[in-house]
Amino acid sequence: MSMLELRKISKVYGQGASEVQALHEIDLWVDPGSLVAVMGASGSGKSTLLTIAGSLEAPTSGEVVVGGALLSEMSRNDQARMRRRSIGYVFQDYNLLAGLTSVENVSLPLELDGVSAKKARAAGMAALDELGLADRASHYPDELSGGERQRVSIARAVVGDRQLLLADEPSGALDSTNGEAVMRMILGACKRGVAAVVVTHDAQLASWAERVVFLRDGRVVDQTMSPPSPESLLQPAPHS
Amino acid sequence: MITKLDRPPAQALPADGGLPARRAVVRWAWRLFRREWRQQLLILALIALAVAATIIGSAVATNTPQPANFGFGTAQDLATFQGSSPSLASQIASLQQRFGRSEVIENQTFTIPGSINSYQLRAENPQGPFSQPMLSLVSGNFPTGPGQVAVTSGVASDFNLKIGDLWHQGGTVRRVVGIVENPQSLLDEFALVAPGQVKAPSQVSVLFDAPGVSPHSIGPGVLTPQSVAGNALNPETISIAGLVLGMLLIALVSIGGFTVLAQRRLRSLGMLEALGATDKNVGLVVRANGGVVGLVGAVVGAVVGLVVWLAYRPSLEQSAHHMIGMFALPWLVIVLAMVLAVVATYFAASRPARSIARIPIVAALSGRPAPPRQIHRSAIPGIVCFVVAFLLLGYAGAGSGARPRTPELALGIVALVPGVILLSPFCLSVMARLGQRAPIAIRLPLRDLARYRARSGSALAAISLGILIAVIISLVSAARYSNVLDYAGPNLASNQINLYTPNGPYGQENLGPTQSGPSSASQLIRMRKTADAIAASLGSHDVVELETTSASLNHNAPGRNWSGPIYVATPQLLRSFGIKASEVDPNADILTMRPGLSGTSEMQLTYDSGGGVSAGPGQGPGRGTSASCTAKNGCFPNPVIEEVGALPSGTSAPNTVITEHAVHALGLQATIAGWLIESPSPPTAAQITNARQTATTANLTIETKNSAPSSSQIIDWATVFGIGLALGILAMSVGLIRSETAGDLRILAATGASSRTRRTLTAVTAGALGLLGAVLGTVAGYIGVIGYIRSNAENGGIAALGAVPVGNLLLILVGMPLIAAAVGWLLAGRQPSAMTHQLLE
């Protein structure tokens, strides 16, 4: 079963003369453990696709299924619960909450889900530790570098039992070294079974994905399996 | 997975995350407050100021009057008897037999020579079972025997006594052994003697406890502290009413502040929702912030208020004339103030909380506030509130006499508040429509005010309410002070002193039966010389003889009646005020400076016709038909009254005089009532004391300027208060309202708008809000006052509003908006710091 299924998703903004068709009957599925990159020019509908997939906004038509559950049949509160439990977001400009430390940012989705502060903090610390940020746990976002902030953001997106990771230009504000590090972390999460969708302009980073979907004017114009990733080149060649 | 979490299944947890989620978002709100408290400093300061002012104001208001147990000590019942009652002993014995433990205090009243004040010779046991809170020793000892007395510092000063002196008092010589005071009333001037040492008590008080027994069933002169109190409009009630109004104003101002703050945090709130927070959680962040602001403001205000109270308490003891406990505070009011501060800000934050939670997540994440909703705001609900207020106040004003129907009065005033709030958005729309053809720098801010009227409407309502209070005070004061019959205001000018003979209007003969008979010619000569001496000591030779007759004025119609003395318009008196005899109508009976008195109908001149019908000052013979006003019963209808502006205006000064023509025509006998001294400058306290001591030697009584405010003083202070409050609210609101349109400002700056344009935007915003607030508040004030006074015959009906405080109203309606616009112009104009969108962190 796919972790994420988009069935004939369309999205229209505005009405009448100001009507804009952002997405046009998009079909997309993402299996557990797989990484899908979405590429396209500005205004092609990449981010809209991501927000609809993550239940941040509703499609004009079509169906979104996350983990087998149809979003359109869910109440707002159930959708919120779905986001808390199943969906993690990574944004270009991190969107960490000022006023909360790194570990508090990471453990926030768990606390919002009713997990006790102590348990949530322990889980948050574990997530930060796995990403090498344990020593930055008590730092506030404005005390972290850009790369560190994005790593905290990834930790927040995968903490708990999240099965779907949605990243919108996760490396857009980072240099190439940090950008690659971020992609490596997302790929690492996928290897642990998380389904991921990454919106990016960067073809090199998109090459990390198993599949690349190209959007233009709200339509899927091409899909391709990714070339071998840089990591795969380092793996020993199979015995002939 | 990166982390495995052992957590209960989704069905076992509440959909909104329950307590842990609420705790998490409240913690975040608290952290945000700690980081961004400076951005909320204005609201914080307002809350702190309101709470501190409430604490200080209510503490002063509740502690200034005498304590509730004044006169009772620790007893629950007080029986008072005339000292001359033949059955006094048996009545006291009866009380003692019935209720057991009791304490008897005997008082004999004596007049302090040369003063209108008196003191008491008091026999009281310092170790009595009930009276100890009413007696304390300042220095020396309590009297223990027949030849001893302890006096209060006032009596010691009046009689120049000190401990160890022998005092000849009432035919008895006693040695002063101590200085005492009544902690419950420092004005209580008395000389304490041992029990049984007052030979002819004029009044005897018995303190006792009669638990569960109605005081009326014990006797006619029996009181309890509860029966003495019982006024619903006590200081605590008034403090709470003021507090509620103040917090309402703060809540209205805070709505705009919290809205702008929530929009600054829009992207964070969007992220919170993206993480799975429910609408409730998001709203809770904004509400919690409001609550935190209220809580911190309340705590800071309470600390400030208590510190100021502790510093001010000694001064208040002096001015209130009784001792006040350090923590004798109205704790109910204080707790209520703190709770209301939190409640007001919490609910003020609720509106933006609802709005923010409704913004789509994607729009919130991109920092795009929802476009303002185009809501049609009808004026009808506001007008309905005004009509209800008008009717209620009219019903309240029609109450019996000068006492209004309090519940209707309060409800009427309360109904004005929602009227103002409901009409504010409508007024903003009207203003925007009026400005449609104005230049862009004027049209844009007016349109913004209307577009974002959810915020600007609340600010306008708060400004209008401040003006409403000022206008009501001004109009009521003007109406009351314009009453030409029951004249109000200061008694004398600050450089005037009245000296009264014993049979003058405030002479000792009129204070009590201590002396009798008119003063002899030789006595009058001696008094005149004393008056001259006092005038000389004040550097003045301007001594005007005040003659009086039995004549007074009577208004034979409903409403207030005449008050004040009527002296004779002697040539010397007229000359001293620069009035030439030729300027006076030879047929005039009465000359007055009270404007409008000459046009008052149904006036009668009453006098002693020799048949025993006599009217003293301010005491008409009663109201009857005009036909009953004949010379036979000492009444002259419709006297000719001429207004002479040169006469002095003080209520005790000769502001109204009877002409010699009328004195002769009515066959009145003029007697010397006293002298008016006008000194070059206001006398000092020492000069007044000397004057009083000098006056004592000639049996004269002096009167100096009292502390009663004048009409203009009250109206000026009300105007300053209203304008100050409105400008304060404007200062807080305009910045917030303009920040909401900061995006527009950035675009304007980017397209080359000069600082002049930016200044104009802010100046027009401030000026328009000020003007609308002034107009709406003034209109609401007039509706309220007209509603009340039109049916209130006691205060002169609608005609009483003829005295319009034009200057003050112009200051409010024109001056305040101009000041607001000018300040807005001066403070605006800075180029926006960032031309790009605001980052989350």
Side-chain angles (χ1 to χ4, degrees):
Chain A
M1 185 182 67
S2 295
M3 186 58 215
L4 171 67
E5 279 184 65
L6 304 181
R7 299 174 189 160
K8 298 205 176 302
I9 292 295
S10 294
K11 180 68 182 177
V12 179
Y13 291 111
Q15 288 178 330
S18 62
E19 184 178 295
V20 174
Q21 179 96 33
L23 292 176
H24 188 80
E25 295 195 344
I26 300 284
D27 288 307
L28 181 71
W29 68 97
V30 186
D31 293 329
S34 66
L35 171 60
V36 174
V38 179
M39 292 188 73
S42 290
S44 60
K46 306 185 299 292
S47 295
T48 303
L49 183 73
L50 211 62
T51 55
I52 288 174
S55 79
L56 299 184
E57 62 182 327
T60 307
S61 64
E63 289 178 341
V64 182
V65 181
V66 177
L70 199 59
L71 287 186
S72 59
E73 291 179 351
M74 289 183 179
S75 66
R76 277 176 67 87
N77 277 351
D78 286 340
Q79 286 184 11
R81 176 150 47 196
M82 168 72 79
R83 289 196 294 275
R84 294 196 298 261
R85 296 204 151 210
S86 303
I87 307 173
Y89 294 93
V90 177
F91 293 92
Q92 178 179 342
D93 44 11
Y94 329 124
N95 280 3
L96 296 180
L97 299 183
L100 296 183
T101 61
S102 300
V103 68
E104 285 169 341
N105 260 291
V106 174
S107 56
L108 184 61
L110 301 177
E111 288 193 67
L112 289 175
D113 199 34
V115 176
S116 72
K118 191 177 173 184
K119 279 186 181 175
R121 186 181 174 83
M125 279 302 296
L128 286 173
D129 193 30
E130 294 224 19
L131 296 176
L133 283 169
D135 59 332
R136 314 295 278 169
S138 57
H139 286 65
Y140 287 95
D142 51 12
E143 297 167 347
L144 302 175
S145 69
E148 287 172 330
R149 287 186 210 186
Q150 196 60 297
R151 281 151 68 194
V152 173
S153 177
I154 292 171
R156 183 178 63 186
V158 298
V159 74
D161 303 324
R162 306 292 182 83
Q163 294 121 17
L164 179 60
L165 176 61
L166 304 172
D168 190 356
E169 301 279 6
S171 57
L174 303 175
D175 57 33
S176 59
T177 309
N178 275 308
E180 279 189 22
V182 164
M183 285 305 292
R184 193 170 289 116
M185 285 172 192
I186 293 174
L187 197 62
C190 290
K191 283 182 177 168
R192 289 188 291 271
V194 173
V197 180
V198 178
V199 165
T200 180
H201 275 107
D202 191 332
Q204 192 180 352
L205 293 176
S207 68
W208 291 65
E210 293 171 14
R211 187 154 48 106
V212 182
V213 176
F214 293 94
L215 288 185
R216 189 165 63 201
D217 297 333
R219 295 168 192 270
V220 175
V221 293
D222 198 4
Q223 289 194 52
T224 179
M225 300 302 289
S226 68
S229 69
E231 285 187 339
S232 66
L233 297 175
L234 300 174
Q235 289 173 355
H239 298 286
S240 54
Chain B
M1 303 293 285
I2 197 163
T3 48
K4 287 290 182 187
L5 189 65
D6 178 25
R7 60 180 166 186
Q11 292 73 18
L13 291 169
D16 64 352
L19 185 63
R22 285 198 292 276
R23 193 174 51 213
V25 295
V26 168
R27 182 181 62 212
W28 184 47
W30 168 246
R31 295 276 182 81
L32 285 178
F33 171 78
R34 275 173 48 189
R35 288 170 63 93
E36 301 170 1
W37 64 272
R38 287 175 191 83
Q39 294 173 17
Q40 302 171 73
L41 197 57
L42 286 170
I43 299 173
L44 262 176
L46 261 185
I47 294 283
L49 191 68
V51 172
T54 301
I55 290 174
I56 298 160
S58 61
V60 171
T62 52
N63 282 301
T64 299
Q66 287 168 333
N69 63 339
F70 173 73
F72 290 83
T74 55
Q76 287 304 307
D77 294 83
L78 166 67
T80 308
F81 304 102
Q82 291 295 319
S84 56
S85 171
S87 58
L88 178 63
S90 63
Q91 286 175 311
I92 293 173
S94 168
L95 280 177
Q96 289 172 331
Q97 189 179 11
R98 187 172 170 192
F99 300 109
R101 196 171 60 142
S102 67
E103 183 175 352
V104 177
I105 300 171
E106 296 169 313
N107 284 302
Q108 187 175 0
T109 304
F110 291 88
T111 303
I112 298 172
S115 166
I116 59 172
N117 298 323
S118 60
Y119 72 98
Q120 291 182 326
L121 184 68
R122 180 173 302 168
E124 179 180 342
N125 181 3
Q127 279 77 45
F130 295 113
S131 66
Q132 287 187 23
M134 303 190 294
L135 188 60
S136 73
L137 190 65
V138 178
S139 61
N141 300 297
F142 286 120
T144 52
Q148 295 183 341
V149 65
V151 295
T152 59
S153 55
V155 171
S157 170
D158 286 333
F159 293 94
N160 200 22
L161 298 171
K162 57 183 184 296
I163 294 174
D165 286 355
L166 286 175
W167 185 28
H168 298 259
Q169 190 276 338
T172 307
V173 179
R174 296 185 178 92
R175 183 170 297 280
V176 178
V177 295
I179 302 295
V180 289
E181 68 180 11
N182 179 351
Q184 292 187 338
S185 172
L186 300 179
L187 280 182
D188 186 9
E189 299 296 357
F190 61 97
L192 181 73
V193 292
Q197 294 304 307
V198 175
K199 291 170 187 166
S202 49
Q203 183 199 58
V204 176
S205 304
V206 182
L207 299 171
F208 59 101
D209 279 341
V213 181
S214 165
H216 303 296
S217 68
I218 302 170
V222 179
L223 298 170
T224 62
Q226 292 75 25
S227 65
V228 172
N231 180 6
L233 283 177
N234 56 37
E236 287 195 17
T237 311
I238 295 167
S239 301
I240 290 171
L243 169 70
V244 170
L245 187 63
M247 287 301 172
L248 176 68
L249 288 176
I250 290 170
L252 286 171
V253 173
S254 304
I255 288 173
F258 289 131
T259 301
V260 172
L261 200 70
Q263 288 188 351
R264 282 182 190 156
R265 296 172 178 170
L266 192 57
R267 298 186 64 220
S268 298
L269 293 169
M271 190 58 221
L272 189 70
E273 224 167 341
L275 290 175
T278 60
D279 292 349
K280 265 188 182 177
N281 294 147
V282 173
L284 182 59
V285 176
V286 183
R287 286 192 187 91
N289 179 72
V292 166
V293 170
L295 184 65
V296 173
V299 170
V300 171
V303 171
V304 171
L306 288 173
V307 168
V308 173
W309 160 251
L310 291 177
Y312 180 62
R313 187 179 61 94
S315 303
L316 184 65
E317 284 182 341
Q318 295 304 311
S319 58
H321 307 296
H322 59 83
M323 307 303 285
I324 299 168
M326 188 177 289
F327 295 108
L329 292 163
W331 290 107
L332 173 69
V333 179
I334 292 170
V335 170
L336 203 61
M338 296 182 71
V339 170
L340 264 181
V342 179
V343 170
T345 47
Y346 183 85
F347 281 103
S350 292
R351 195 164 150 182
R354 279 195 304 274
S355 306
I356 288 289
R358 279 199 295 262
I359 295 176
I361 303 174
V362 176
L365 276 169
S366 59
R368 294 195 307 269
R373 286 184 297 163
Q374 295 304 314
I375 307 166
H376 174 65
R377 294 282 187 193
S378 170
I380 293 172
I383 292 171
V384 168
C385 286
F386 279 172
V387 171
V388 170
F390 187 80
L391 296 175
L392 280 169
L393 289 168
Y395 186 68
S400 60
R403 296 184 67 81
R405 294 185 172 101
T406 307
E408 287 81 5
L409 181 66
L411 281 174
I413 293 171
V414 166
L416 286 173
V417 175
V420 166
I421 293 172
L422 290 170
L423 273 175
S424 294
F426 173 77
C427 292
L428 289 165
S429 301
V430 171
M431 182 68 118
R433 278 201 291 274
L434 289 175
Q436 272 176 347
R437 293 177 187 279
I440 181 70
I442 296 173
R443 188 170 71 239
L444 184 64
L446 293 183
R447 192 183 296 164
D448 283 345
L449 282 175
R451 286 180 74 213
Y452 298 98
R453 54 180 171 254
R455 269 70 87 190
S456 48
S458 59
L460 174 59
I463 295 164
S464 305
L465 290 176
I467 296 296
L468 168 71
I469 296 168
V471 169
I472 286 180
I473 293 172
S474 298
L475 293 181
V476 169
S477 300
R480 172 66 189 91
Y481 278 73
S482 68
N483 192 307
V484 292
L485 296 167
D486 187 8
Y487 210 51
N491 58 344
L492 293 167
S494 57
N495 67 331
Q496 292 177 330
I497 287 181
N498 268 356
L499 286 170
Y500 297 112
T501 62
N503 53 340
Y506 300 105
Q508 291 178 5
E509 191 165 284
N510 287 296
L511 295 174
T514 52
Q515 296 180 26
S516 60
S519 305
S520 65
S522 60
Q523 284 174 321
L524 283 172
I525 291 168
R526 186 165 158 252
M527 289 178 196
R528 169 72 205 211
K529 284 182 178 173
T530 305
D532 289 338
I534 289 172
S537 72
L538 299 174
S540 169
H541 300 289
D542 194 359
V543 181
V544 182
E545 196 165 80
L546 300 173
E547 293 184 14
T548 189
T549 66
S550 62
S552 182
L553 284 167
N554 180 50
H555 186 228
N556 188 35
R560 293 176 187 268
N561 205 351
W562 176 262
S563 74
I566 296 180
Y567 296 110
V568 178
T570 59
Q572 188 215 3
L573 186 143
L574 295 177
R575 198 168 48 247
S576 67
F577 294 109
I579 303 164
K580 295 176 185 167
S582 59
E583 294 171 354
V584 176
D585 180 354
N587 294 318
D589 301 307
I590 295 289
L591 306 180
T592 184
M593 60 67 57
R594 302 186 185 191
L597 184 61
S598 60
T600 306
S601 60
E602 298 293 327
M603 292 302 295
Q604 299 171 339
L605 192 57
T606 59
Y607 56 95
D608 184 357
S609 62
V613 179
S614 177
Q619 298 171 330
R623 294 173 185 185
T625 61
S626 297
S628 64
C629 182
T630 62
K632 190 178 173 185
N633 54 13
C635 183
F636 177 68
N638 303 318
V640 178
I641 301 174
E642 183 184 0
E643 289 181 24
V644 181
L647 287 168
S649 61
T651 55
S652 293
N655 60 61
T656 301
V657 291
I658 183 170
T659 60
E660 292 196 316
H661 154 75
V663 170
H664 295 142
L666 298 174
L668 301 176
Q669 183 72 40
T671 56
I672 295 174
W675 292 269
L676 170 65
I677 298 172
E678 287 194 310
S679 57
S681 58
T684 62
Q687 285 176 317
I688 291 172
T689 303
N690 286 337
R692 186 201 292 166
Q693 287 172 349
T694 308
T696 305
T697 60
N699 215 16
L700 288 167
T701 305
I702 72 168
E703 182 184 15
T704 54
K705 183 183 183 303
N706 59 20
S707 57
S710 67
S711 168
S712 58
Q713 279 176 315
I714 294 177
I715 295 172
D716 287 350
W717 275 114
T719 306
V720 168
F721 162 79
I723 290 177
L725 189 60
L727 289 176
I729 294 167
L730 271 171
M732 280 172 272
S733 309
V734 171
L736 295 172
I737 291 167
R738 289 304 322 160
S739 73
E740 193 157 12
T741 55
D744 296 346
L745 200 61
R746 278 195 286 270
I747 292 165
L748 278 172
T751 51
S754 66
S755 69
R756 185 177 174 180
T757 306
R758 295 194 294 272
R759 286 180 192 279
T760 308
L761 290 173
T762 307
V764 170
T765 303
L769 273 178
L771 179 64
L772 282 177
V775 171
L776 186 56
T778 304
V779 169
Y782 258 102
I783 288 172
V785 175
I786 290 173
Y788 173 74
I789 221 159
R790 72 192 159 88
S791 56
N792 192 272
E794 186 70 16
N795 284 306
I798 197 77
L801 288 178
V804 180
V806 178
N808 297 76
L809 288 181
L810 279 177
L811 204 58
I812 288 173
L813 289 166
V814 180
M816 190 268 283
L818 284 179
I819 294 170
V823 173
W825 174 277
L826 289 171
L827 297 182
R830 191 164 51 90
Q831 184 153 314
S833 54
M835 296 280 184
T836 58
H837 72 280
Q838 193 183 359
L839 290 173
L840 189 63
E841 293 141 29

